[in-house]
Amino acid sequence: MSEVKTIETEQKERIAGILQGAVDPHVHSGPSIAPRAVDHLELAQIYSKAGFAAMVTKDHDYSGVMCARMIRDHYADLSTQVLSGIVLNNVVGGINPYAVEHTAAMDGRIVWLPTLAAENHLKWEKSSGWAHPASTQKIRAAKAVSLFDGGKLRPEVVDLLDVMAATGMALASGHIHVSETKIVFAEARKRGVERLIFTHPEDIVGASMDDTREIADMGAYVEHSLAFFLEGSKFRTRKNEDLKAFIDLVGAERTILCSDLGQTGTLSPLEGFQRGVATCIELGYSDAQIRAMVSTNAADVIGLAA
């Protein structure tokens, strides 16, 4: 029994060590119009105790840069840097370069293309049974935010990409279809956007393994949501071997693992990372490989100073 306890303790210590300096670049803490189990400040305190370097809050309905700034200004003792970005859904006017510029001016780090308002998401939603938790009680249903007009990128999208190139923020694909991601990312590269994130190819966006490799070859990081892989997560749609297949497809050096957690009734973001690291150990990845996936790759794409 004591030997078992020792092994368990060693495993916990190994996981805790790997998570020193971790970065969660996609977490759904609150406040939010949707139910959240933890708010931004509470999560920053939890992550600070666990040794995380940074977290990037993501809300489908508002830019979190003001909240992040207040926390940084008033809680300087936190070791976890609280950052945020903006999701280009209806609430901020869809593809809105003005809102993106403002977000950048407030130290925003990531711009997500439409999620709940993506044409692809709305099609997926009809067959998935998923709906925004607050849509029937508090807000009207999402209206599609289109990126294309007559098969060409809308002028607002081109303007957006120029803003991205000028500000250095990371562009994440959100919930648009993988076919759209390829076009937008190719144009982004042409216009000087250096930081690209392919959002959870494992669900919603319709990506194949070949699609995922092609986008990684564009220079994008491939971001996987632990919420879709972990036992105990109410969002689980994939198995451990699927995670390994995705990681091996592009290598640990192009892979980012985020929690995509913070919702009520499921794993906490920290539990997600702890179980995610344990899963990666079980799958045979080295500590250095796991650390890249939970720390240094995300730090690089959001421009976090070393």
Side-chain angles (χ1 to χ4, degrees):
M1 183 65 71
S2 60
E3 183 179 351
V4 172
K5 286 184 178 180
T6 300
I7 293 172
E8 289 177 352
T9 299
E10 289 177 353
Q11 178 81 334
K12 288 180 180 179
E13 290 177 350
R14 181 181 177 186
I15 292 170
I18 292 172
L19 288 174
Q20 296 304 300
V23 176
D24 189 349
H26 181 158
V27 62
H28 291 287
S29 45
S32 175
I33 196 170
R36 297 297 183 230
V38 62
D39 68 32
H40 307 320
L41 176 56
E42 291 169 333
L43 184 58
Q45 293 167 333
I46 291 167
Y47 272 170
S48 288
K49 290 179 181 177
F52 277 54
M55 54 182 265
V56 184
T57 71
K58 177 186 178 185
D59 194 279
H60 295 292
D61 300 305
Y62 71 90
S63 170
V65 290
M66 301 305 180
C67 293
R69 174 65 178 270
M70 288 185 69
I71 292 172
R72 293 199 305 272
D73 286 351
H74 292 280
Y75 294 86
D77 57 317
L78 293 173
S79 59
T80 299
Q81 189 172 356
V82 182
L83 301 164
S84 192
I86 189 170
V87 186
L88 301 181
N89 287 326
N90 302 135
V91 181
V92 301
I95 306 302
N96 186 345
Y98 293 95
V100 171
E101 286 180 336
H102 188 274
T103 298
M106 289 298 297
D107 200 28
R109 299 302 174 100
I110 300 175
V111 174
W112 285 272
L113 292 169
T115 56
L116 307 189
E119 291 177 313
N120 173 71
H121 177 97
L122 294 173
K123 292 176 183 176
W124 167 84
E125 193 174 306
K126 291 179 181 178
S127 60
S128 69
W130 186 93
H132 192 300
S135 60
T136 57
Q137 301 96 336
K138 300 176 183 176
I139 61 174
R140 67 183 68 189
K143 180 180 178 181
V145 173
S146 177
L147 305 182
F148 298 88
D149 184 8
K152 295 183 179 180
L153 287 172
R154 291 170 53 201
E156 302 96 306
V157 178
V158 176
D159 189 3
L160 165 71
L161 298 179
D162 288 340
V163 171
M164 301 294 301
T167 60
M169 283 191 295
L171 177 65
S173 57
H175 292 189
I176 68 174
H177 193 267
V178 62
S179 60
E180 297 176 303
T181 297
K182 291 178 185 180
I183 296 170
V184 176
F185 277 14
E187 186 65 23
R189 278 296 189 212
K190 284 172 55 179
R191 306 190 85 83
V193 179
E194 296 182 353
R195 297 183 168 107
L196 299 172
I197 303 169
F198 185 26
T199 307
H200 52 57
E202 60 272 4
D203 208 357
I204 302 173
V205 303
S208 68
M209 299 299 270
D210 286 343
D211 291 328
T212 302
R213 185 189 295 109
E214 181 181 343
I215 290 173
D217 287 344
M218 290 179 163
Y221 281 106
V222 180
E223 180 188 86
H224 297 294
S225 297
L226 290 169
F228 290 131
F229 292 96
L230 298 178
E231 186 174 351
S233 169
K234 70 178 183 181
F235 301 109
R236 191 183 196 202
T237 58
R238 295 282 189 158
K239 298 181 180 179
N240 291 357
E241 52 264 36
D242 296 319
L243 180 59
K244 179 171 174 55
F246 272 115
I247 293 172
D248 291 347
L249 180 69
V250 302
E253 66 274 12
R254 300 306 308 172
T255 299
I256 290 173
L257 300 179
C258 69
S259 75
D260 203 353
L261 291 164
Q263 307 87 349
T264 57
T266 191
L267 301 173
S268 73
L270 180 57
E271 287 173 328
F273 266 93
Q274 290 168 334
R275 293 192 187 193
V277 170
T279 298
C280 287
I281 291 172
E282 181 183 333
L283 292 173
Y285 296 105
S286 69
D287 289 16
Q289 288 174 312
I290 302 170
R291 193 168 288 111
M293 294 188 286
V294 302
S295 177
T296 52
N297 294 343
D300 175 63
V301 81
I302 65 171
L304 195 67

